[in-house]
Amino acid sequence: SQTIHQWPATLVQPVGSPLSLECTVEGTSNPNLYWYRQAAGRGLQLLFYSVGIGQISSEVPQNLSASRPQDRQFILSSKKLLLSDSGFYLCAWNRLGTDTQYFGPGTRLTVL
Amino acid sequence: RKEVEQDPGPFNVPEGATVAFNCTYSNSASQSFFWYRQDCRKEPKLLMSVYSSGNEDGRFTAQLNRASQYISLLIRDSKLSDSATYLCVVPPPGGQNFVFGPGTRLSVLP
């Protein structure tokens, strides 16, 4: 069966510090991968998606970036965090050719 | 018009009640639709998928109205454990930029 992991589960970072969140998927090959952010009390906002190694599409302008160094690894980064980067970051995947997305447990980021 | 809109809620219903939420979408070419539930401070989890006119799974029924471009979720005999936020998702035809609705919050009261 397929599983998706995210870490860390929670993170408190000062403004201006760097960020690296990691997501890995097990039990499948060549998944589509996604990063979403959910601000407190708000809906999910798609940040990035990837259909393959090194292929990243960005949905919104921001100070975040994403990378996919391996088939089942997706990383979200920032060089300098802003207060507005606080939120619940969710990684998701779906099998190529299907529409059903499955989510990881998320990382709750607080920028102070 | 936003791509995906949902009843804002919150819906506060007593145990045993029947409750329905609506979700409207703007892309008439959309072919598949999903309902997810999200518990507080947790990740969304797939509840139901809808590819044709509707789908039923126990107490949950999803119906699709292509002419009016909305899908609904009906919950019968509500349980306390049904309390959550329900998200409507409309994948883009041939694309990857999935659009989630803002969610409808349901509270089932004892």
Side-chain angles (χ1 to χ4, degrees), chain A residues 64-81:
Chain A
L64 300 170
S65 62
S67 62
R68 186 170 175 174
Q70 300 179 47
D71 181 44
R72 290 169 291 178
Q73 183 185 31
F74 205 21
I75 297 172
L76 183 70
S77 304
S78 173
K79 293 182 179 178
K80 287 186 178 182
L81 284 168

Side-chain angles (χ1 to χ4, degrees), chain B residues 23-101:
Chain B
C23 168
T24 58
Y25 60 96
S26 60
N27 190 339
S28 60
S30 296
Q31 296 296 315
S32 57
F33 309 85
F34 300 88
W35 283 103
Y36 284 74
R37 72 167 277 164
Q38 185 176 23
D39 293 297
C40 187
R41 302 179 71 82
K42 297 289 187 180
E43 74 273 24
K45 294 188 176 177
L46 180 67
L47 180 65
M48 297 185 76
S49 56
V50 185
Y51 294 100
S52 57
S53 61
N55 193 7
E56 184 171 332
D57 182 6
R59 298 183 294 109
F60 298 83
T61 301
Q63 290 190 319
L64 169 64
N65 184 318
R66 288 191 187 275
S68 300
Q69 293 183 209
Y70 77 84
I71 55 174
S72 62
L73 178 67
L74 180 77
I75 305 175
R76 290 180 296 275
D77 189 23
S78 299
K79 311 292 185 190
L80 294 176
S81 58
D82 294 333
S83 296
T85 296
Y86 290 83
L87 306 173
C88 172
V89 184
V90 183
Q96 302 302 326
N97 51 332
F98 287 61
V99 180
F100 280 74

Side-chain angles (χ1 to χ4, degrees), chain A residues 26-66:
Chain A
E26 295 178 357
T28 189
S29 296
N30 198 26
N32 293 329
L33 295 171
Y34 306 81
W35 278 112
Y36 291 88
R37 176 171 59 203
Q38 187 175 36
R42 307 290 294 276
L44 271 71
Q45 179 187 35
L46 179 62
L47 301 175
F48 301 95
Y49 66 87
S50 171
V51 299
I53 295 174
Q55 300 179 64
I56 308 294
S57 296
S58 174
E59 286 298 299
V60 293
Q62 59 212 321
N63 70 321
L64 300 170
S65 62

